[in-house]
Structures are given as C-alpha cells and as structure tokens.
C-alpha cells in the first residue's frame, strides 16, 4: 500500500517527504483554508516535494464549473489529480475530465454503491472516508472490504484511497485488506513511528556502544577511510 500525506501544509510535507515514505498527497478545501499564501504555489510545491499524484479539489457545485476548475487545477502541475466531491454533478464532471485524460480522485465516498458509480464514471482514485464512517458508528473496515471485493470481482481498476485516517490502525487495516493507497495526516504518520521497544532498544544500543570509546573511534576512522576512497573513485 502506498502512503500519501493528507495536508495543505508545505512545512508538513517538507518534513515528512524527507523520510522517503511518501508516494503522493491529498489536499482539500478545509486543509488549504488553514494555510497562508497562494494556493497555487502551495499545490505546486507539494507536487514537487512528493513527486507523485497530488489531489486538488474543485468547489463548484455544477458539472460545467467542476470541469472548468478541474482543467485549471490540472494545468498547475503535471502531478495534479482533480479531486471531485461525490454527487451527480461530480459523476458527470468525472466522465468529462477522464475522457480528456485528466485523472480524477472521487472524494466523500462512504458506500460500496457510491464507489461503483465513481468507477463507472472513470475515476482513477476513489476515496473512502474511514474516520467519518466510524464517527457515525459504521464499521469503516467492513465498508472498505466490500468496496475492494466488488472492484476485484468486477475487474475494476480504479484505485481505492483509504482517507479520513484517524490512527495507525486505520492504515494497517486498509493495508491488510489490499487497499492501494492510504492518505494520512502528519500526526498519524508521526504516531506510526513510535514503539516503546524501539526507543528503549535504541537507548540500550547507544549506552553499550559508548561503554567502549575505542569502538567509536574505530567506526569513525572506518567511515572516513571509506568516504576518502569513494571520493577518489
Ligand atoms: C481525503 O482526501 C480528505 O482530505 C481527508 O482524508 C478528510 O479527512 P477528515 O475526515 O479527517 O477531514
């Protein structure tokens, strides 16, 4: 499963892209509204930083407006994917944009039947919102499982994005089901780093190594020699 970052913050993308784990990004109007600066520059910068599909969302409520905004957003950067909210107009706009070769991420999908319609309209990505389903006591894992099952059974190639991720278990659950992508807020990506045994294990390795200062000198010299010989090549 590929990991995208779900944010409108360039600073967050800069930090987490440096980990080498990101394959793309998703923004939405609420996330971008929290940020200062020109949205076009923010979207372009995020595209450059992640070097992969980056969703930017339309806000018009009619199909013609969505198509016009989608074309303009797509022209911002080659990595832009046009994010369209699920609705009748959104389906029509998706059909037009995908026919023009513009990739669409259908967002705000909460049921297998909405996912089927999104795929039928041509969406490249279908975003199922796990956290918001759990918020209303609907088992998000069961919904994602059903979407995956029906896509696989029917040979549907639209990629499923597990979205509205609230904790690491959402990611692990989506990955176990075979979801292609999870789009994850930076807070959850940071939580995914943590395990108390990792911290205590690293502290013990450091303590034991430092108890033998001559070993530290040996490794520093080895590293310097290697860098010098690599520089001569
Ligand atoms: C997906 O692309 C959305 O931007 C996002 O996952 C929404 O998550 P939320 O429910 O935390 O707002």
């Amino acid at each position: 499963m590929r990991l995208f970052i779900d944010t409108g913050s360039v600073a967050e993308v800069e930090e987490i892209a440096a980990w080498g784990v990101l394959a793309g990004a998703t923004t939405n109007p609420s996330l971008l509204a929290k940020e200062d600066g020109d949205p076009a520059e923010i979207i372009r910068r995020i595209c450059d930083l992640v070097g992969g599909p980056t969703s930017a969302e339309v806000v018009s409520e009619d199909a013609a407006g969505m198509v016009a905004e989608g074309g303009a957003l797509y022209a911002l950067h080659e990595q832009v994917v046009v994010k369209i909210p699920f609705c009748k107009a959104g389906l029509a706009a998706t059909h037009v944009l995908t026919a023009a070769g513009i990739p669409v991420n259908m967002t705000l999908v909460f049921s297998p039947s909405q996912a089927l319609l999104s795929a039928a309209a041509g969406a490249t990505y279908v975003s199922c919102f796990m956290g918001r389903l759990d918020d209303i006591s609907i088992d998000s894992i069961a919904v994602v499982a059903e979407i995956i099952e029906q896509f696989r059974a029917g040979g549907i190639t639209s990629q499923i994005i597990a979205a509205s991720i609230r904790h690491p278990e959402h990611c692990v659950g989506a990955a176990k089901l075979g979801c292609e992508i999870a789009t994850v807020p930076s807070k959850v990506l940071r939580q995914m780093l943590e395990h108390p045994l990792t911290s205590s294990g690293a502290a013990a390795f450091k303590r034991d190594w430092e108890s033998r200062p001559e070993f530290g000198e040996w490794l520093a010299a080895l590293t310097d020699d290697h860098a010098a010989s690599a520089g001569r090549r």
Side-chain angles (χ1 to χ4, degrees), residues 160-205:
I160 302 152
I161 302 183
S164 188
I165 297 288
R166 300 282 165 77
H167 46 70
E169 270 309 300
H170 272 148
C171 278
V172 174
K176 283 179 3 193
L177 290 171
C179 231
E180 284 89 357
I181 297 156
T183 189
V184 189
S186 62
K187 179 181 162 209
V188 178
L189 287 163
R190 285 191 202 96
Q191 289 172 339
M192 291 168 73
L193 291 173
E194 302 301 333
H195 195 288
L197 293 178
T198 302
S199 316
S200 60
F205 288 154

Side-chain angles (χ1 to χ4, degrees), residues 28-49:
N28 67 38
S30 305
L31 292 169
L32 285 173
K34 291 187 209 160
E35 303 299 321
D36 293 326
D38 173 15
E41 280 314 306
I42 293 172
I43 291 164
R44 285 200 192 98
R45 184 84 184 106
I46 293 175
C47 287
D48 284 338
L49 284 165

